Amino acid sequence: MIIKKTFNDSEEVLVSKKELRNFVLRCLEKVGCDHSHAQQLADILICSDYRGHYSHGVNRLGIYVHDLATGSTAPQGEPFIIKQKGGTAWVDGNNLLGAVVGNFCTRLAVQKAKEHGIGMVVAKNSNHFGIAGWYAQYAMEMGCIGMAFTNTSPCVFPTRSSEKALGSNPICFAAPAQSGDNFFLDMASTTVAFGKIEVVDKRGGKTIPPCWGADANGRETTNPKVVLNGGGLQPLGGSEPTGGYKGTGLCMMVEVLCGILGGAAFGKNVRMWQTTDTTADLGQCFMAIDPECFAPGFAERLQSFLDQTRSSDAIDDDPILVAGDPERAHMAMCDDLDGLVYKKSQLKHLADLANRYDVEMLKTKVHLSAQQA
């Protein structure tokens, strides 16, 4: 059963996917982005907001536009394979939009999985690629288990450190069950992604939960502005007593798969977030596994596992969720409303972007009823 989220008419607005897509394309093409590349990025940004991951949706559009406008990201070209062997490949992203690099690598990984049972593609010279879930989802739709990882700019204080030396380094693992159900884990190696704190701040929030962020000296803070102005993130778990060393380990594991294995920038060597004095040179890793190579009935067993977990005895009235359920709830709400839902305050930066690059601002959609979904 999908538990639907509800629409708050007083605080939220509705935007059609078509309207948002056209706005994204107008902005990207204004700065010379290849039309095909712009289409790919628009797909990912829409998917991110549709799934409720606002930190990586149109909230990031201004950064992509700026990187293209300054030449920090290449607006034209294609990724290329440096070398490949069996189910593996090493790719040069050619400093293109991360969406273009990620799509190229994921399709190659799936192709290799169909031939060899498993495909693993690692890229260097890439850029921010949006939500990792986009790539794992494609592999899953092709009947594979999908995984995606990327390193990021240093924004995390490793356990016991007063210096930001790691990225938030996301992990995604998606596996298909039955009737469209799935296990869909898409998470940062930090307690939250940096963008979630940005979203809190843009919505006017004054506090964030403990374990999310730290001040410039690596000390925990609940003030989002302190985090955003010289502070940084805590690894998953927060401080050492609450298991932050595990999050530090996960951050480093992703770095090994991406920056180290891919010959890309890594750790402190990755350029700082929202700077354009050098290329990002991010490392990214994409995997696809064909479950048909193993015991038969994978989807059925996974569905049984998901159902068993959801039907466990609950502590209170809140439903027990598995990875992917919160996103399914958000998507169900958007489907009912036939549009994407945003806080009214979230669209201000899009209006500023439209003014800055002289493009037509998107129009919100008037929903037929204020009745909650």
Side-chain angles (χ1 to χ4, degrees):
M1 180 178 68
I2 296 175
I3 308 299
K4 296 179 183 177
K5 292 183 67 177
T6 57
F7 180 78
N8 186 331
D9 186 62
S10 64
E11 297 181 2
E12 297 174 325
V13 293
L14 198 60
V15 179
S16 74
K17 290 181 180 180
K18 181 179 179 180
E19 182 71 16
L20 183 62
R21 168 181 288 278
N22 288 338
F23 176 74
V24 171
L25 295 179
R26 287 196 296 272
C27 291
L28 292 172
E29 291 174 4
K30 190 77 172 184
V31 291
C33 184
D34 178 272
H35 182 70
S36 170
H37 295 186
Q39 292 273 8
Q40 292 178 65
L41 180 56
D43 286 341
I44 291 176
L45 299 185
I46 291 169
C47 177
S48 181
D49 289 345
Y50 176 54
R51 293 181 65 83
H53 291 293
Y54 292 110
S55 60
H56 285 64
V58 291
N59 183 58
R60 286 275 180 262
L61 179 58
I63 295 172
Y64 295 119
V65 170
H66 180 70
D67 283 354
L68 289 162
T70 59
S72 174
T73 296
Q76 312 279 336
E78 297 299 329
F80 58 90
I81 298 171
I82 304 169
K83 65 179 180 181
Q84 55 185 324
K85 180 181 180 181
T88 68
W90 182 33
V91 168
D92 190 320
N94 210 10
N95 195 33
L96 296 164
L97 286 169
V100 177
V101 180
N103 283 339
F104 178 89
C105 292
T106 302
R107 282 156 177 72
L108 182 58
V110 169
Q111 175 187 330
K112 289 183 174 294
K114 294 298 184 181
E115 180 179 356
H116 300 284
I118 185 169
M120 179 173 174
V121 179
V122 178
K124 68 170 185 174
N125 201 14
S126 187
N127 287 285
H128 193 282
F129 72 4
I131 52 169
W134 171 263
Y135 310 101
Q137 178 175 305
Y138 174 81
M140 187 175 65
E141 290 172 349
M142 296 296 105
C144 294
I145 296 170
M147 286 179 273
F149 313 84
T150 182
N151 64 4
T152 73
S153 299
C155 60
V156 180
F157 293 94
T159 303
R160 300 185 180 180
S161 174
S162 63
E163 180 182 3
K164 289 176 283 191
L166 297 170
S168 56
N169 297 2
I171 297 169
C172 186
F173 178 101
Q178 293 180 303
S179 303
D181 202 357
N182 49 63
F183 177 84
F184 204 118
L185 178 67
D186 188 358
M187 54 174 265
S189 297
T190 48
T191 305
V192 294
F194 200 81
K196 288 191 182 298
I197 299 178
E198 292 176 327
V199 168
V200 170
D201 186 56
K202 285 179 179 179
R203 290 178 174 178
K206 303 300 182 185
T207 62
I208 54 175
C211 295
W212 279 29
D215 64 18
N217 297 312
R219 302 292 184 184
E220 183 174 281
T221 179
T222 58
N223 186 329
K225 290 192 180 297
V226 170
V227 177
L228 298 175
N229 293 287
L233 299 178
Q234 294 196 83
L236 181 63
S239 61
E240 187 171 1
T242 52
Y245 55 91
K246 297 180 181 180
T248 295
L250 287 175
C251 285
M252 296 183 73
M253 180 196 77
V254 172
E255 193 66 83
V256 172
L257 289 171
C258 297
I260 306 296
L261 197 59
F266 58 87
K268 299 178 186 179
N269 302 321
V270 181
R271 75 176 185 189
M272 294 305 295
W273 180 236
Q274 297 189 47
T275 61
T276 57
D277 55 322
T278 184
T279 58
D281 188 22
L282 297 184
Q284 291 159 354
C285 177
F286 308 85
M287 298 186 200
I289 301 170
D290 184 357
E292 294 299 318
C293 294
F294 304 94
F298 173 82
E300 292 81 2
R301 287 196 307 281
L302 177 56
Q303 189 63 58
S304 176
F305 179 44
L306 298 178
D307 293 342
Q308 287 176 5
T309 304
R310 290 180 178 126
S311 62
S312 300
D313 292 338
I315 294 174
D316 49 36
D317 293 334
D318 292 330
I320 297 168
L321 306 178
V322 301
D325 283 347
E327 290 85 350
R328 277 182 276 273
H330 192 273
M331 290 187 287
M333 175 185 66
C334 292
D335 290 343
D336 281 353
L337 295 166
D338 192 26
L340 300 171
V341 178
Y342 296 96
K343 294 291 185 184
K344 293 176 180 178
S345 58
Q346 281 180 273
L347 297 188
K348 183 182 181 302
H349 73 285
L350 295 184
D352 293 341
L353 183 65
N355 289 332
R356 191 178 317 130
Y357 289 95
D358 191 26
V359 299
E360 181 185 355
M361 177 56 177
L362 60 81
K363 297 178 178 63
T364 58
K365 179 179 179 181
V366 178
H367 51 96
L368 298 179
S369 172
Q371 181 180 359
Q372 293 196 336

